[in-house]
Amino acid sequence: MNVVVCVKQVPDTTARKEFLPDNRINRAAVENVINPFDEYAIEEALRLKESQGGSVTILTMGPPSAEDSIRKALAMGADSGVLVTDPALEGSDAWSTALVLSRALARLDYDLVMTGMESTDARTGLVPAALAEQLKLASLTYASRVEIADGKVRVNRQIPGGYQEVEAVYPAVVSVVKGVNEPRYPSLKGIMAAKRKEIQKLGFSDLDLPADSAGKTGEKAKAVEVTPRPEKPAGEVIRPDSPEAAAGAIADFLQAHKFI
Amino acid sequence: MADILVYVEHEAGQPKKSALEMASKAASLATATGGKVLALALGAGAANTEKRLGQFGVDDLFINDSDVFDRYLTEPQVDAVAALLEKSGSNAVFFPYTPDSKDIASRLSARLSSGAVANVVDVVDDGGHLDARETVFGGNYTTTVEVVNSPVRIFLIRANAFPAEERPKDIQQFALVYEPGPDAQRAVKGKVVQEEGAPMPIDEASIIVSGGRGLGGPEPFTLLEALAQELGGVVGASRAAVDAGWISYAHQVGQTGRTVKPQLYIAVGISGAVQHRVGMQTADTIVAINRDADAPIFQLADLAVVGDLFQIVPALTEEIKRRKGG
Ligand SMILES: Cc1cc2nc3c(=O)[nH]c(=O)nc-3n(C[C@H](O)[C@H](O)[C@H](O)COP(=O)(O)OP(=O)(O)OC[C@H]3O[C@@H](n4cnc5c(N)ncnc54)[C@H](O)[C@@H]3O)c2cc1C
Ligand SMILES: Nc1ncnc2c1ncn2[C@@H]1O[C@H](COP(=O)(O)O)[C@@H](O)[C@H]1O
């Protein structure tokens, strides 16, 4: 079972964001981490490798500094990494990200592609299914359990109120939810071993794509304006002296806002 | 403006609230420019969506009630939407921002080389084409997004972004003819398992009562359930409560949980860590109950109540009961 895990490097949510003049986030100015959801995908891939044999490859599109995230995944136990990095890819949206990842995957050998369910910065959750469409594969999304049997991949796909079993012949694209597993921490030995593992670098010209299919020129969802959330005027603070007074005051408020 | 297509999620023919909200918005945009509102409903019961959709501004309803939509995941729906877009010439489509529709919309985006905007909280007419307003970075920023170089503009619309407004129309129903190819049958759906205590989806709820570490254990969540029930809402939680095993992950609000935009969010015993806030700060109205007057959640709250949740929550539930009765 050879698994490629798509891992995105994202700005730490707690960091303050700065925007560049063209409305993109200034990634150089913030601390970056592995997209928290992707850690579950990495862990799930490692478990598949442990139970089925095979390899785990990390695929990332991002700036050169995204190599740090790949290194961390290698330290967790992945075998190799591919970093697609090129100034021409800067500013790629979900559509072109999926296209670029699909082209990089065309150069790799895989039985399964795993992704997180969304990235904490873009938060679109659009890449996994779009990637599957580009690869002409099934998209089994929101998996809370992944099982391989009889040439098929079976997942428990989270739906409101429970889950639905969904299966497909692999290769397929599987996105996982938090809670599918508990990601491991890199061990010291893992960190040392990661230093020697290979990270292949691909540029835009390796992908065989027309110039207008990625980066700023390929953008289809174009942010034309960014406005910070307006400061909310401070709300009312009350310190009621009894539970009844508190209940009365909250009920008044809810009634005034037509919630009761 | 060309016609706007609304993708309808429904429960055995009963359109979800999202469909009515999107139809209302599409109708107001279309009326201003002389376009029509088209709707597509798929799967068992699709034809029965007509009555409600007609009340909320839909002109033409297309249906296909083949069981392929219930047997296979995502791809037959993509085929059907693509077929209808081609047939109708409509170049803007509204999907609800739910897991199922998100997959359909994103495959459609790849197939039609068209831009998709997620997390849409408003759609505006920008001189003949539609732009989206999207919240990003946990609601800390709003961007206006223009879809360019795309035959179709795809918008994924947040629950509660628009009010559902009645606009009775003389709705017409058409059958959408579509034969699924083998590709559409790649992902096979199996049985549905209802999980014990699995919640209502919090993404779509208009009212959420959320509990955090301050609850101290699983039992006090019954206090929140009682309050939520009185208000017609659902129960959410902070990660601290989820990680402690007091309530299941599906309830988690925040960076690694769900992003919600309810009309009312009541945070009980939640401090308001940034990872929690990014999941709920675009709620229209926020009430917080916390015994710590310096809790960061109070910075967001429209009404900040300093006090003990174990005393206040039951009293509040009683008070609401009393007022509703009277
Ligand atoms: C990568 C990452 C992702 C994360 N994702 C999420 C996420 O998705 N969602 C999330 O919520 N968190 C997330 N967190 C965790 C977040 O940082 C906080 O730890 C968490 O939100 C705290 O939960 P809490 O407010 O319930 O608990 P606490 O911060 O412990 O707050 C409990 C509050 O209850 C109050 N309280 C206690 N007793 C009472 C009482 N009797 N009456 C009234 N008030 C009382 C206290 O004053 C306190 O303010 C994430 C963290 C990381 C690092
Ligand atoms: N630049 C990227 N490089 C690698 N994987 C990505 C990238 N962007 C998104 N993904 C994958 O797609 C998932 C969903 O991301 P998104 O659609 O951006 O919310 C992530 O959890 C990653 O697994």
Side-chain angles (χ1 to χ4, degrees):
Chain A
M1 179 71 20
N2 296 329
V3 187
V4 175
V5 189
C6 297
V7 172
K8 184 178 187 184
Q9 188 180 57
V10 297
D12 190 347
T13 321
T14 42
R16 228 193 48 173
K17 273 108 203 156
E18 271 176 35
F19 287 92
L20 297 168
D22 62 354
N23 293 331
R24 277 186 302 125
I25 180 162
N26 183 358
R27 286 179 192 270
V30 295
E31 196 174 328
N32 294 305
V33 295
I34 290 186
N35 174 31
F37 287 106
D38 297 350
E39 295 193 8
Y40 302 98
I42 298 167
E43 176 65 35
E44 200 58 25
L46 293 173
R47 290 184 188 193
L48 284 176
K49 174 185 152 185
E50 281 153 13
S51 65
Q52 316 268 328
S55 66
V56 175
T57 304
I58 305 300
L59 171 60
T60 298
M61 179 186 93
S65 62
E67 191 174 329
D68 297 345
S69 292
I70 300 184
R71 260 322 145 203
K72 185 178 170 204
L74 295 177
M76 287 169 75
D79 300 284
S80 61
V82 178
L83 175 61
V84 187
T85 186
D86 200 307
L89 296 170
E90 272 173 36
S92 292
D93 59 14
W95 174 82
S96 57
T97 301
L99 182 61
V100 166
L101 294 175
S102 75
R103 287 304 169 100
L105 276 154
R107 305 166 60 105
L108 303 172
D109 167 36
Y110 59 87
D111 302 302
L112 215 54
V113 179
M114 295 207 115
T115 74
M117 69 167 230
E118 63 186 24
S119 55
T120 52
D121 58 346
R123 272 225 109 139
T124 70
L126 292 176
V127 170
L131 175 60
E133 179 71 23
Q134 296 290 2
L135 295 168
K136 306 215 177 331
L137 298 176
S139 40
L140 310 187
T141 46
Y142 309 103
S144 58
R145 181 162 184 274
V146 183
E147 189 193 14
I148 303 288
D150 319 322
K152 287 186 179 153
V153 50
R154 279 202 197 101
V155 308
N156 290 352
R157 181 174 188 265
Q158 270 197 351
I159 56 171
Y163 63 84
Q164 179 162 41
E165 294 179 352
V166 186
E167 65 172 33
V169 172
Y170 57 76
V173 176
V174 174
S175 83
V176 298
V177 297
K178 179 196 161 189
V180 65
N181 56 41
E182 202 41 65
R184 67 194 70 185
Y185 290 101
S187 65
L188 196 57
K189 205 169 130 228
I191 294 169
M192 298 309 290
K195 294 195 172 128
R196 294 186 302 273
K197 290 179 183 168
E198 190 204 353
I199 298 180
Q200 189 193 348
K201 296 216 172 75
L202 296 178
F204 187 63
S205 61
D206 297 315
L207 301 174
D208 202 17
L209 281 171
D212 63 353
S213 56
K216 272 289 171 202
T217 48
E219 199 171 35
K220 293 189 181 292
K222 200 182 182 73
V224 287
E225 196 192 319
V226 182
T227 36
R229 188 167 52 93
E231 284 293 329
K232 223 174 163 175
E236 193 189 346
V237 182
I238 56 170
R239 289 183 173 72
D241 44 22
S242 74
E244 291 70 34
I250 302 171
D252 288 347
F253 177 88
L254 295 179
Q255 222 159 7
H257 288 77
K258 303 205 168 19
F259 292 113
I260 310 178
Chain B
M1 191 190 310
D3 303 340
I4 300 171
L5 173 61
V6 173
Y7 180 80
V8 175
E9 286 192 0
H10 62 98
E11 202 83 64
Q14 187 62 29
K16 297 221 184 128
K17 195 173 88 184
S18 62
L20 309 180
E21 291 170 1
M22 292 188 300
S24 298
K25 183 67 184 187
S28 73
L29 288 164
T31 344
T33 53
K36 279 205 289 192
V37 180
L38 316 181
L40 176 62
L42 301 170
N48 300 334
T49 58
E50 178 181 305
K51 195 155 166 275
R52 293 285 282 164
L53 293 174
Q55 276 163 5
F56 286 85
V58 173
D59 297 291
D60 295 349
L61 168 65
F62 294 81
I63 65 127
N64 184 316
D65 58 10
S66 159
D67 69 350
V68 294
F69 302 108
D70 301 311
R71 279 170 37 218
Y72 305 103
L73 186 66
T74 313
E75 289 170 87
Q77 288 82 345
V78 179
D79 291 345
V81 179
L84 179 54
L85 286 170
E86 191 179 328
K87 179 181 144 101
S88 66
S90 153
N91 63 9
V93 44
F94 290 3
F95 286 96
Y97 191 42
T98 61
D100 281 355
S101 286
K102 204 194 288 187
D103 284 358
I104 299 166
S106 97
R107 289 196 84 115
L108 188 74
S109 153
R111 188 175 303 179
L112 302 182
S113 290
S114 291
V117 195
N119 247 322
V120 173
V121 292
D122 199 6
V123 180
V124 291
D125 182 355
D126 180 12
H129 67 259
L130 300 180
D131 283 353
R133 297 244 159 82
E134 173 191 26
T135 56
V136 291
F137 300 118
N140 283 327
Y141 299 87
T142 305
T143 53
T144 303
V145 181
E146 187 177 343
V147 178
V148 294
N149 299 325
S150 302
V152 177
R153 294 158 197 266
I154 302 168
F155 301 108
L156 281 145
I157 305 205
R158 268 207 164 282
N160 305 317
F162 318 121
E165 283 160 357
E166 297 225 18
R167 280 168 201 271
K169 287 269 182 74
D170 221 348
I171 188 170
Q172 302 228 41
Q173 189 174 131
F174 306 88
L176 178 75
V177 181
Y178 149 71
E179 282 299 325
D183 285 356
Q185 303 172 22
R186 276 191 281 239
V188 183
K189 292 187 193 173
K191 69 171 192 284
V192 171
V193 178
Q194 297 295 330
E195 280 175 307
E196 193 65 42
M200 291 286 297
I202 59 171
D203 305 46
E204 287 174 47
S206 320
I207 296 181
I208 299 175
V209 182
S210 243
R213 191 174 350 243
L215 270 72
E219 297 81 26
F221 271 94
T222 56
L223 301 176
L224 299 197
E225 266 151 35
L227 175 57
Q229 200 175 357
E230 262 336 295
L231 288 166
V234 302
V235 172
S238 75
R239 172 160 159 182
V242 171
D243 284 357
W246 302 340
I247 187 163
S248 73
Y249 169 61
H251 294 268
Q252 184 181 318
V253 173
Q255 187 200 324
T256 45
R258 305 311 305 156
T259 302
V260 296
K261 190 187 179 302
Q263 277 145 25
L264 173 65
Y265 190 88
I266 306 185
V268 181
I270 293 177
S271 64
V274 61
Q275 295 94 344
H276 187 78
R277 295 161 61 142
V278 294
M280 46 66 73
Q281 62 191 2
T282 58
D284 297 336
T285 303
I286 298 171
V287 175
I289 304 172
N290 199 303
R291 66 179 178 198
D292 173 8
D294 297 324
I297 190 80
F298 284 161
Q299 294 157 16
L300 289 179
D302 298 286
L303 180 66
V305 185
V306 186
D308 180 20
L309 72 93
F310 293 100
Q311 299 192 337
I312 295 173
V313 174
L316 176 59
T317 308
E318 281 313 309
E319 181 64 18
I320 294 171
K321 236 183 234 161
R322 202 177 59 76
R323 294 196 188 190
K324 286 205 313 199

